[in-house]
Amino acid sequence: GAVVSQHPSWVICKSGTSVKIECRSLDFQATTMFWYRQFPKQSLMLMATSNEGSKATYEQGVEKDKFLINHASLTLSTLTVTSAHPEDSSFYICSALARGEYNEQFFGPGTRLTVL
Amino acid sequence: GEDVEQSLFLSVREGDSSVINCTYTDSSSTYLYWYKQEPGAGLQLLTYIFSNMDMKQDQRLTVLLNKKDKHLSLRIADTQTGDSAIYFCAETSDRGSTLGRLYFGRGTQLTVWP
């Protein structure tokens, strides 16, 4: 199947700093990527839908100024957590949508963010 | 929003069959998926079923869909310790504004005892 990578796989940062997470589709082009957040033993919560060349669509309750999403190319979307605080500590997972016979999302391995 | 419900825990003995159940509310669902998540990892697509199908079998995996009752199940035959993971049920529809968007259940933690 298609491969989606995320970088970094884990990051520890101080409160107040900004952290950028990259999501890449390695062998296919993705006009749409999704960013999820997952708390321990919880399901994935969709944060935003990222469309190449346009502004991201954020889910209700997700602060667009805090979670900046850029989808500048067909293979790369970035999520920047600005002025991170301990409550932003979570597992962030991206997925890329492959259009074809059916709409399949390929998921990245996730990024563990810990804010001290 | 759309609701997808799953039982949270399932324990089975190695070699037995596992059945993970899922219910959903969206009558316009077009595809239903089962994903597997191992600790600290992203989601791996196990199998999917189109909404006009009743059953799909793929090696040890059997998916049953009761569209009338909006009930989906995943049966794993000859369950192995390597099958221990969290299994997520998800659904999507072809509604234009939400194309590709997945709605997930909370996941079922499958524990396989040797």
Side-chain angles (χ1 to χ4, degrees), chain B residues 8-9 11 22 34 47 59 65 69 79 81 92 94 98 104 108-109:
Chain B
L8 296 183
F9 303 99
S11 293
C22 170
W34 285 104
T47 187
Q59 299 183 333
L65 174 61
D69 295 338
T79 314
T81 55
T92 191
D94 276 344
T98 59
F104 286 90
T108 299
Q109 173 71 61

Side-chain angles (χ1 to χ4, degrees), chain B residues 66-96:
Chain B
N66 182 326
K67 193 173 181 181
K68 174 177 173 289
D69 295 338
K70 300 189 183 66
H71 182 268
L72 181 75
S73 68
L74 173 69
R75 178 177 181 269
I76 305 173
D78 188 24
T79 314
Q80 303 297 307
T81 55
D83 295 324
S84 293
I86 300 175
Y87 290 80
F88 289 95
C89 169
E91 62 93 11
T92 191
S93 72
D94 276 344
R95 289 189 296 276

